[in-house]
Amino acid sequence: MASLLLLLLVAVSLGGTVAASARVTAVIVFGDSTVDTGNNNQIGTPLRSDFPPYGRDMPGGARPTGRFGNGRLPPDFISESLGLPPLVPAYLDPAYGIADFARGVCFASAGTGLDNATAGVLSVIPLWKEVEYYRDYQRRLRAHAGAAAARAVVRGALHVVSIGTNDFLENYYMLATGRFAQYTVGEYQDFLVAAAREFLAAIHRLGARRVTFAGLSPMGCLPLERTTDALLGGGGGCVEEYNKVARDYNGKVEAMVRSLRAELPRLKVAFIPVYDNMVDLITHPEKFGLENVEEGCCATGRFEMGFMCNDEAPLTCDDASKYLFWDAFHPTEKVNRIMAQHTLDICYQQGVL
Ligand SMILES: *[C@@H]1O[C@H](CO)[C@@H](O)[C@H](O)[C@H]1NC(C)=O
């Protein structure tokens, strides 16, 4: 009887092991500044953050790595949670080689978008070139580890994608010419969703099987947008027009992801509702120990980001963990950790992991 029970217990625990997700081999990152771990340091763009106080709360001591924040970004926390290295290296960083990239690599570039024209605004890496780098990476991986091992890395990797805000805030609404003249905002959303679909199909053809695709945050609540609203005579609250654009776009992207999943059964892809997560932080800051959800920690917190957020700028806060935003555009490390956990939760719920 006892041995039967033991047998049952063993069977149950083995069943559990088998049901649990296969090991994640690497975290592979595409997108913009929300996930760029340092590629912009290596290219000729004014959009960079490789100077203090960026990186002042990095593990092991202050180190400006080109991450747009005071510390780590969501992919770093995702990697660490999956038993992989605590930092995902940037593909263009000469300090790392293919042996490092076999366990995680970032192709993201701050300032880029789904629309090729967005990358042109600040001379950053367009998304199609991120995909070219991915192809180049796979060639190097095959040369380094052999074809079978390289394929296993790609198949087992979690691909983290976060992109889209710049298409609206840096391109569509900033440049009164170009896309704004060409498309209504609804048409532009459709254009971006088609580009996102094309991108997902491209990385699927290259072997990606596990993917997370982040939706837009309530971008009307970014400190920079609140400040702009105040300057234009508004109340300095969240800009509802931008939030509505984000919600409408998110609905379209989520539907696209659902249809792609039906069309490509081997592709496990999850839409990450960043919007809801951020609204929760903004409306219930006390739940997360946050005290300021309207201004960034860096400098006045109202408009500074990139080169305006530097060590000469006065007023930078002492404790970034009380803030939702680090600069006028980017969340603090504390919030990045929360968003990473949220992403992983959705992955487990939806069978991506
Ligand atoms: C961006 O440019 C690449 C390379 O020229 C092209 O393949 C791709 O279709 C373009 N994407 C969009 C959304 O225009």
Side-chain angles (χ1 to χ4, degrees):
M1 187 62 201
S3 63
L4 183 63
L5 188 63
L6 187 67
L7 202 65
L8 267 171
L9 282 174
V10 169
V12 166
S13 63
L14 277 178
T17 311
V18 172
S21 52
R23 193 176 66 88
V24 176
T25 50
V27 169
I28 298 179
V29 183
F30 298 89
D32 60 19
S33 61
T34 52
V35 291
D36 177 359
T37 60
N39 285 310
N40 275 23
N41 301 352
Q42 309 299 331
I43 62 173
T45 173
L47 188 62
R48 50 208 314 128
S49 58
D50 50 348
F51 42 80
Y54 283 100
R56 74 173 194 191
D57 299 316
M58 285 295 282
R63 190 157 53 104
T65 60
R67 286 171 175 78
F68 277 80
N70 57 311
R72 289 190 279 170
L73 300 181
D76 300 314
F77 289 114
I78 290 171
S79 177
E80 185 174 64
S81 293
L82 295 171
L84 291 162
L87 297 175
V88 179
Y91 190 56
L92 300 185
D93 187 337
Y96 296 92
I98 192 65
D100 306 299
F101 299 142
R103 306 184 70 205
V105 61
C106 174
F107 304 108
S109 174
T112 202
L114 290 160
D115 178 355
N116 287 332
T118 304
V121 177
L122 291 165
S123 307
V124 299
I125 304 168
L127 188 57
W128 66 264
K129 193 152 180 197
E130 292 188 23
V131 176
E132 276 306 304
Y133 283 134
Y134 186 36
R135 205 170 276 138
D136 180 58
Y137 161 76
Q138 293 192 3
R139 270 192 295 270
R140 288 173 65 189
L141 200 56
R142 283 193 294 272
H144 168 75
R151 189 176 317 112
V153 167
V154 169
R155 292 278 149 95
L158 179 64
H159 298 71
V160 175
V161 188
S162 177
I163 193 163
T165 312
N166 298 316
D167 293 307
F168 292 101
L169 297 185
E170 185 190 310
N171 180 356
Y172 190 82
Y173 287 111
M174 273 299 258
L175 311 172
T177 56
R179 299 306 189 198
F180 191 81
Q182 196 178 350
Y183 296 114
T184 66
V185 72
E187 288 167 351
Y188 192 54
Q189 288 164 353
D190 296 338
F191 170 80
L192 297 179
V193 171
R197 186 189 179 97
E198 194 183 306
F199 164 78
L200 289 171
I203 63 169
H204 173 260
R205 282 195 298 276
L206 287 169
R209 293 295 177 264
R210 300 158 139 178
V211 182
T212 68
F213 194 94
L216 294 185
S217 71
M219 56 190 182
C221 298
L222 294 171
L224 188 62
E225 306 316 319
R226 290 178 186 264
T227 302
T228 310
D229 180 65
L231 288 174
L232 295 174
C238 296
V239 182
E240 174 52 23
E241 182 192 352
Y242 289 168
N243 285 355
K244 179 171 171 10
V245 167
R247 287 194 301 274
D248 292 348
Y249 164 89
N250 286 340
K252 292 176 183 182
V253 173
E254 193 170 5
M256 179 275 288
V257 165
R258 218 177 301 122
S259 90
L260 205 57
R261 215 159 35 201
E263 193 181 306
L264 305 171
R266 288 181 308 172
L267 177 66
K268 295 190 163 69
V269 52
F271 170 80
I272 310 297
V274 172
Y275 191 102
D276 305 338
N277 200 213
M278 287 292 269
V279 165
D280 194 25
L281 289 160
I282 292 167
T283 50
H284 305 288
E286 68 290 343
K287 260 187 7 196
F288 305 91
L290 297 173
E291 292 174 10
N292 189 330
V293 297
E294 298 185 4
E295 295 159 328
C297 165
C298 191
T300 69
R302 301 199 171 187
F303 63 91
E304 298 92 342
M305 70 134 165
F307 68 88
M308 303 282 286
C309 163
N310 61 56
D311 259 356
E312 318 308 321
L315 304 174
T316 295
C317 81
D318 288 328
D319 182 1
S321 74
K322 297 192 171 117
Y323 283 69
L324 172 49
F325 293 100
W326 161 250
D327 65 14
F329 220 77
H330 302 99
T332 52
E333 178 180 71
K334 177 175 192 169
V335 170
N336 286 333
R337 184 193 285 273
I338 293 169
M339 296 206 293
Q341 190 53 53
H342 180 238
T343 300
L344 285 169
D345 291 346
I346 303 267
C347 281
Y348 290 118
Q349 276 164 29
Q350 302 200 1
V352 172
L353 292 179

